[in-house]
Structures are given as C-alpha cells and as structure tokens.
Amino acid sequence: MQNPDEVKSMFSKMNDKQQEAVFHTEGPLLILAGAGSGKTTVLVNRVAYIIKAELAQPWQILAITFTNKAAGELKERIEAVCETGADEVWAATFHSTCARILRRYGEKLGFTAHFTIYDTDDSRRLMKEILKQMNIDEKFLGHRAVLAEISKYKDKLKTPVQAKKDAEFDSRLKIVAEAYEMYQKRLLTSDAMDFDDLICNTVTLFEKHPDVLEYYQNRFRYIMVDEYQDTNKSQYRLVSLLAQKRNNICVVGDDDQSIYRFRGATIENILSFENEFKGSTVIRLEQNYRSTGNILDAANNVIKNNTERKGKTLWTENVRGDKIVLHTAASEREEAMFIAKTILDGVAAGRKFSDYAILYRMNAQSNTIEQALSRSGIPHRLIGGHRFYDREEIKDMTSYLQIIANPNDDIRLRRIVNKPKRGIGETTMTRAAEIASSVGESVYSVIKNAGDYPTLSRAASKLIEFTKLIDGFVEAYQSDDYSLAELYNLILEHTDYKNFLKAEKDDWEQRIENIDELSSNIIKFEEDYGDEATLENFLEEISLMTDIDNYDADADTAVMMTLHSAKGLEFPVVFIPGMEEGVFPSMQTIMDPSELNEERRIAYVGITRAKEKLYLIKTRERMLFGSTTHNRESRFASEIPDKLLEKTGAQNAFSSHKLDYQPSSSSSFNPFAKKKAPLTQPSSNTYKVGNIVLHKVFGKGMVLSATPMGKDTMLEIAFDTVGTKTLMANFSKMEILS
C-alpha cells in the first residue's frame, strides 16, 4: 500500500479548497463549485486519489454526469491521471447508467435486454395514436401537453394509478391520466422505454427487488454526482438509494447555476442536501480560473440579488480585463449587425471565429443574427437546431436498425413499413394495431401472421413479404457474419432506399449524403468500441446524444446557442443580445419571484461563460413574434455597477430625440445616424464580375458574380486563402483593387 502522504503530494498543484474536496472521501460531501472554479479537475483528481490511495478498485466508483460529452471528458482525464484501471470507472450520464442496469435486470420488470429507447419524436407519434384512439381532439388537448404532464408525473415518481387519484376533480387531468396508463401499456408491449422511464424504472427495480439494489450498493463504494443542482426528484431518489448503505456520496454543483426548472430540475435537492444526508460536509470552491476580474464582479453583483441560494462570492487572481460593453442598438437588425461587425473587427485583429459565442434567451432571437452572420460571410453554427439524428432519412434508417434489434417496436415499425413504398397503407396498419391490442401481441407478430386475420387478407402477401425482409436482416445480424457497417449496407441494398429518395425527394442529393454520413458514423463507432460495438450499444448511444455532444470546439466557426445550451462551456468572447425587460427576463417571469430567481441564474450562467470579453446588447425597439416593442433595460444589466461598464451605441435609448452614438474605442461602426436608420447604407462601391477585391478578414479575392438584390448586391467571391464565399456588398465594405 502506498504511503498516504506520498499520494497526497501528487495533488499539491491544486488550491487548498480543491485539495480538501479531493481528500475528503468518507461520508456525504457537498462541493459548492462556482463557475470556472475547476470542478471537473476536482472530480477527476478525487477519483484518481481514491484509486491511488487504494481506497477502492476503479470499478467500485460511480461518477454520474449530465451529458455524454462530460462523461467522455471525465474518462479521458481520469485515464490521463491514472496509469491503469481508469477505463473501469463507471463514468456515465444518469440515463446511460440506468440503461446499463436495465439491460441486465429489465426482465424483472417485463422488458428484454434489447428494449428500445424512445426519443421525443417517437413518444409524440405514440401519443398521437393514443389520443386518436381515445377520440380526443388535438385542439382540445394536444399530444405535447399530455406528454409534458406525464413527464412531470414521472419526475415525481408517480404511476398512472397515482395520477388518476390526483385527477379526481379535474376532467383534463383525468384524460391525461388515462392517456398515461395507455402510453405505459403500449411502451411495455413494444418493449420500449422513454427517457424518463430509464430513471423511473431503475428506481422501481431497486425498490421492488432489494437484492438488485444490494448488489449495486455493494459494488459502488464511492458515488459522485456532477451538476447536482440540475437533478429532479427521481434522480435524487436513485442516488440516495445507491448511497444508502455506505453513505459515501459526493455531489458537485452550484445552486447559482440551477436553470433547468422547466425540465423538472429542483433546486431544493442541493439546498437541502445537508438535511437529507446527515453529517454532511460542505466545501465551497470560490476561486475562478476562467474569467477576468471585471466579468466576475459583474456576475457577483447580478446573482447576489437572488433569494434562493446558499451564498458564495467568486474571486480570481486573473487580470481585471476589459470592462463589460453595454451596447444599445436601434433595433434587432442593428443589434445583429453590431455583432457581425465586432466579430469581423476582432478576427481582422488576430482572433479566431471560434473565439465568439452568441448566447440568447429565446430561439426566436437567432434568425436575425444568423442572417447578419451569413451576409457578412462569418462561418457559424447553431447548436440546438435540427439534429443530424432527427432528419427524416436518418430516422428512417435508424428505425430499420431499431426493428432488427427489437421487432416489437410498433412506432418504428409503422414508420418504415411503407418506406420505400410497398403498398401497405395506414388503414392496414391501424387494423393490425387494433388486432394486436385485442390479442395482446405486438404489431409485428400480427402482420407476420397476417393470413390468419380476415381484415388483413387483402394486404397479407405484402405484409408477410415485409416481415420476411426484416427476419432476413435479423438472421444476418444474429449470425455474427456481418459487422454493423455491413448490416447497414445490407439494409440499403435490399430496401433500395437511395433510389426511393431520388424518386420522392427534391433534395435527394443532400439526403443521400446524410445516409452516407450515417455509414461513416457507424464505422467510427466500430473503431472506437471494438468488441462492444453491438447494434444495441450503437442505438443506445445515438438515442441519448444531445446537441452539445456534437459540439466541436476545434472548428473555427462562431457559435450561436441558447443560454441554457451554453452551460458548461466557455468562450473568449460572449455576446448576450436582448438585454431588455420582457425579453430577458421574459414577461411571463417578471411577476413570479421564484421564476425571476431562475431567470437571474440564467443571466449569471451567461455572464460567466465569458473568459475575456463580454458584450451585453439591448435595443431601442425590437420586433419579436410579429410585434414591435419598446422595453426598458434589463434589470440584470442595471444590477452591474457603472464602473464595470463601457456604454456604447444609442445611449438615449428611450428618448424621442435624436440618438447619441458613442462608439467603442475599438470600433468605428455607426449605423445610428437617425431614429429609423436602414439596416445598411448602400455601398459606394459598384462591384463587377472580374473585380479583384480586398476583404479585411478573408484577404484578396475575385468577384465571380454580382446579383442585385433590393438596395444591396449579392457577391460570389473566390478568395485566395479561404475559397469561395457568398457575401452581401453593403455588409462587406471591401476595397476594389482592380
């Protein structure tokens, strides 16, 4: 056994509070980790210390995170610190952890080891079917609203029976409770679970089968939970059951960053930790390694106005840095132009596009900003847009894979039974579903024996032919003669899906590219997972993937995302547009103290994403959702002391007089000559095909085409260093060299 002092000396580079958190291994521990305080470093080194000090074997450690990206980063860093055994640590998300447990013991609840995980789209399809079966008009009670209520029940671990009791005097909730009951029955018949079920069913498994719970209690000697402020009741119940025996639970979180109430997260879990886990120790990590002093002071001055918090003050040894820019624009269009111009100025001065992040409160704000970035030729990505795995053609192909893994999956079956077209209509499948419901079988089982049912006789040959195709795929997969990539190619070949796209879709080229990209993803998966590259593991990975898991920090593009999506990330320069009352905080939250506290936490998260430079932007007037409003400055901007701010733009924001423009020392951009200034002034340059131009960021280029568009001109330019780009002339303001 290694000398304890020698082991501890390996962690001497950490600050005192971080070391205290690493070495405190026994009993309940709450680590209140402020933004940028190195919480991941603490988690990694705490795991490393437990292994190096031989307090436990790696496989006896459970580390739960909220995203696959965070879990992957945790494992990579543990492997870098520990020479051996790090790959045996259970570092995974809540959902992945529960899926792994349920794959092993799900039969105790009536599921097979091959159960399907339904994503949001699958759940919506199923609920639409159920409401139609119940004769409920979508206008009276929509499927999204029903699923939202069911999710709330599951967050609170309430069964359909309990939901019915709660709805005793509420006719609307009675319908929801009935739909909930039918939904769960259909899931069980389809051998499927939704995301909430993964947590709830694991809790049910532990409560109904103490032997299974005891196995995992004995296995996990040390349990760590990241982002504890974002847990809901079911997640709290899960970790408390696992920790019951040894009480060695360490949770890391920040009550000031609890921003997922709309998903069921409850800040009470972290606020009441000491009451729930007796004998707890609380360690505060308050030294910030990310942001400048001015940014931290701004964040502290905003969050101190909240009432629901345990209290801490971030500090840093970093430089004071630039003041926070509070910019006032005339409109949302001028706001977007200011962002684009600032990014181009910064890149021209030596920054990268990837240094910049635009974080907004509502998705509706993104459109105008994205247009400005596109017209300026600024490469950018939207995080939280249309996910790759949500595209129609990708959903079709993954549904084939899902059916091979689990033929009882009724929702995926109905998606692909007539893709490509096989003459099997919705009416036929509805009859098959009705038969399946009456005899207690899956739809696949019914259509496989379609000749036995008179109402299916006309389509029997087509249905049976389809099941023979699927059975052939299942046989190929189970034979072990085909790799996952080869199985995928087998599906493409025998369904002729690419030719189906060519015949049916105008944008078939892009869709086929996506189909081929899925093939690449499968090959990469097999390379990464080796012997564990099973179909079930692949399907589980893609079903639990989020947009942030696809975020590539190495790509040189500006990033646009909501403030919620940005939590856990950091950027050298951050823009937060829409700093107005009614936008941020939103109008719906202003009168509710608890909701307003959450909005302020969102503002705190946004501010602390910035490492070096922060821009807060408000407008004189804003068109949003078809209406133009004139709102006051956001209280979150007003809570920042003037000494920390550099105010630029139209400062007399709520005056009817001529606007004063006070340009930033780093910018000569002035779009605010008059109250109703156009978005861009017509360019004095007239660009022609063949012109050699000089762009301050992209360098020299030749104009390939110039197409007049309103008061502007769309230019296609072949640049020497960055290739061909499409820019709008008035945005670009390039010099014509010849």
Side-chain angles (χ1 to χ4, degrees), residues 526-542:
E526 290 188 301
E527 290 172 353
D528 291 343
Y529 280 74
D531 292 340
E532 294 184 7
T534 64
L535 176 57
E536 288 82 1
N537 285 346
F538 175 73
L539 295 172
E540 185 172 305
E541 179 172 275
I542 65 174

Side-chain angles (χ1 to χ4, degrees), residues 103-253:
R103 293 283 179 212
R104 183 170 181 177
Y105 291 105
E107 80 280 353
K108 292 180 180 288
L109 300 179
F111 296 90
T112 73
H114 307 290
F115 67 82
T116 297
I117 300 172
Y118 276 9
D119 62 17
T120 304
D121 184 57
D122 299 319
S123 293
R124 287 173 180 169
R125 283 171 176 263
L126 177 55
M127 186 51 67
K128 282 181 179 178
E129 284 186 21
I130 289 170
L131 292 179
K132 189 175 180 181
Q133 189 178 337
M134 293 173 64
N135 293 317
I136 302 298
D137 190 334
E138 182 82 16
K139 294 177 182 177
F140 171 70
L141 185 58
H143 67 281
R144 291 171 187 256
V146 175
L147 286 170
E149 290 295 334
I150 290 173
S151 186
K152 289 177 186 177
Y153 284 132
K154 290 184 179 182
D155 281 350
K156 297 172 184 175
L157 295 172
K158 289 190 174 182
T159 65
V161 173
Q162 292 167 314
K164 284 184 176 180
K165 288 182 180 177
D166 289 350
E168 191 174 358
F169 302 107
D170 188 321
S171 58
R172 180 177 171 275
L173 286 181
K174 278 184 180 179
I175 296 171
V176 171
E178 186 179 346
Y180 180 15
E181 183 176 44
M182 294 176 68
Y183 178 72
Q184 293 306 116
K185 285 179 179 177
R186 287 286 300 275
L187 285 171
L188 185 61
T189 303
S190 297
D191 195 17
M193 302 184 198
D194 64 18
F195 291 137
D196 293 328
D197 285 330
L198 293 173
I199 311 291
C200 294
N201 286 343
T202 306
V203 171
T204 301
L205 175 68
F206 286 164
E207 290 178 339
K208 289 188 174 181
H209 300 276
D211 56 320
V212 177
L213 173 60
E214 187 177 14
Y215 168 79
Y216 286 104
Q217 286 176 336
N218 289 333
R219 176 180 180 128
F220 299 128
R221 299 185 68 171
Y222 293 96
I223 298 169
M224 282 169 259
V225 184
D226 194 10
E227 305 287 5
Y228 191 67
Q229 76 281 347
D230 295 330
T231 54
N232 58 32
K233 182 176 178 179
S234 61
Q235 291 163 336
Y236 158 75
R237 179 64 179 156
L238 176 74
V239 296
S240 63
L241 283 169
L242 285 170
Q244 236 169 34
K245 188 170 185 178
R246 299 181 185 276
N247 226 19
N248 287 337
I249 180 169
C250 166
V251 302
V252 185

Side-chain angles (χ1 to χ4, degrees), residues 105 192 199 353 387 467 554 685 695 699 724:
Y105 291 105
I199 311 291
F353 288 111
R387 279 198 334 143
T467 60
D554 295 329
N685 292 325
H695 189 283
T724 302

Side-chain angles (χ1 to χ4, degrees), residues 380-393:
H380 59 279
R381 288 169 300 155
L382 252 74
I383 305 295
H386 202 43
R387 279 198 334 143
F388 176 77
Y389 287 102
D390 286 340
R391 290 177 168 88
E392 180 186 7
E393 63 277 9

Side-chain angles (χ1 to χ4, degrees), residues 68-114:
N68 291 316
K69 183 180 178 66
E73 181 187 351
L74 194 65
K75 293 205 78 164
E76 285 176 12
R77 291 178 61 174
I78 292 170
E79 286 171 11
V81 175
C82 298
E83 295 80 14
T84 58
D87 58 332
E88 296 178 22
V89 175
W90 268 43
T93 64
F94 269 104
H95 292 102
S96 295
T97 299
C98 290
R100 189 170 173 181
I101 292 169
L102 291 167
R103 293 283 179 212
R104 183 170 181 177
Y105 291 105
E107 80 280 353
K108 292 180 180 288
L109 300 179
F111 296 90
T112 73
H114 307 290

